[in-house]
Amino acid sequence: MPSLDWNRKWGAMMSGFSPDADEEHFGDRWGHPESFAPLLEVRRRFIDPYFVPGCTVLEIGSGGGRWTQYFRSAGQLILVEFNPQSFDYLRHRFPDLRFKPYQTSGYEMNGVETASVDLVFTFDVFVHLEPEGIKAYLIEIERVLKPSGIAIVHYGDIRKDIARDNPGFSRMTRALMEELIAATRLRVVSHDEDIMFHSNLVALSY
């Protein structure tokens, strides 16, 4: 089961990748959003309808910037990372990218102001967080979102074979996610089980 110590491996793994434009970037091995059909659908259904240039975006787990690149026209971009190696990687990969970095100690975003964010986005992060960590993050997402804000959350689902057989995936299901959401004031806008073969996406409003 993935723990915080287990998730530290991503920072060490990132150091083996170059941020140069002609290299494969960290994260691309799991599909490129410009060419991999499921990720193109994620962009179409879970980024394009909600991201407005100039708005304030918070991304949890930016990694090598696989999704960060689509938020470069944000008015303010806040990147929350457990592994700080990501920040230098992104500065080299996108020299013109302006962002506010925040290194979380686990599942908190204490450095982010309450009711200050229009859009929260996280992908390929919660698949590696156990339910108690996801619960803590949902509480924080509720806190940082503006009243009209939207959060896009990608999480694993052990009812799907790949997630069930991968020890790096958390013991999550749609029913458990909806139970965790119900304990907050967040409301489900859209909940998709079909795009990804090992996981689900949910859009939440506040």
Side-chain angles (χ1 to χ4, degrees), residues 15-165:
S15 65
F17 286 78
S18 169
D20 293 336
D22 58 349
E23 300 281 343
E24 179 186 56
H25 293 289
F26 179 78
D28 289 351
R29 61 180 289 192
W30 295 290
H32 199 291
E34 295 290 332
S35 57
F36 185 46
L39 301 188
L40 287 167
E41 189 68 2
V42 171
R43 288 176 55 197
R44 187 183 73 83
R45 291 181 51 189
F46 288 96
I47 291 182
D48 294 348
Y50 303 114
F51 172 64
V52 178
C55 73
T56 298
V57 176
L58 183 152
E59 184 182 6
I60 302 171
S62 48
R66 181 166 60 147
W67 297 100
T68 314
Q69 60 187 313
Y70 300 110
F71 303 122
R72 282 184 286 182
S73 61
Q76 182 178 29
L77 179 59
I78 304 165
L79 302 181
V80 175
E81 264 291 344
F82 183 58
N83 292 296
Q85 294 90 336
S86 175
F87 300 139
D88 282 340
Y89 189 101
L90 293 173
R91 290 185 183 105
H92 283 89
R93 181 179 178 184
F94 305 117
D96 60 342
L97 182 68
R98 293 177 294 109
F99 66 90
K100 178 181 178 181
Y102 180 73
Q103 183 181 357
T104 177
S105 61
Y107 312 120
E108 50 76 27
M109 300 190 293
N110 295 334
V112 181
E113 294 182 13
T114 298
S116 63
V117 175
D118 297 295
L119 175 64
V120 172
F121 183 86
T122 183
F123 195 94
D124 269 356
V125 176
F126 285 24
V127 296
H128 303 303
L129 298 184
E130 291 301 327
E132 59 270 22
I134 293 175
K135 177 181 179 180
Y137 259 130
L138 288 174
I139 292 170
E140 281 286 77
I141 288 170
E142 176 188 338
R143 179 184 67 80
V144 303
L145 274 180
K146 294 179 181 179
S148 58
I150 293 286
I152 307 301
V153 174
H154 170 239
Y155 67 96
D157 190 333
I158 58 169
R159 298 174 301 161
K160 301 181 179 184
D161 293 347
I162 294 178
R164 183 183 63 243
D165 298 337

Side-chain angles (χ1 to χ4, degrees), residues 150-205:
I150 293 286
I152 307 301
V153 174
H154 170 239
Y155 67 96
D157 190 333
I158 58 169
R159 298 174 301 161
K160 301 181 179 184
D161 293 347
I162 294 178
R164 183 183 63 243
D165 298 337
N166 188 333
F169 273 59
S170 59
R171 306 297 90 186
M172 285 294 295
T173 63
R174 174 174 179 154
L176 180 51
M177 175 57 87
E178 291 182 342
E179 180 181 324
L180 297 177
I181 294 167
T184 71
R185 290 177 290 178
L186 298 169
R187 180 176 61 85
V188 174
V189 175
S190 175
H191 207 154
D192 178 83
E193 300 178 67
D194 299 323
I195 294 176
M196 301 301 297
F197 45 85
H198 51 39
S199 51
N200 304 328
L201 291 111
V202 61
L204 304 168
S205 68

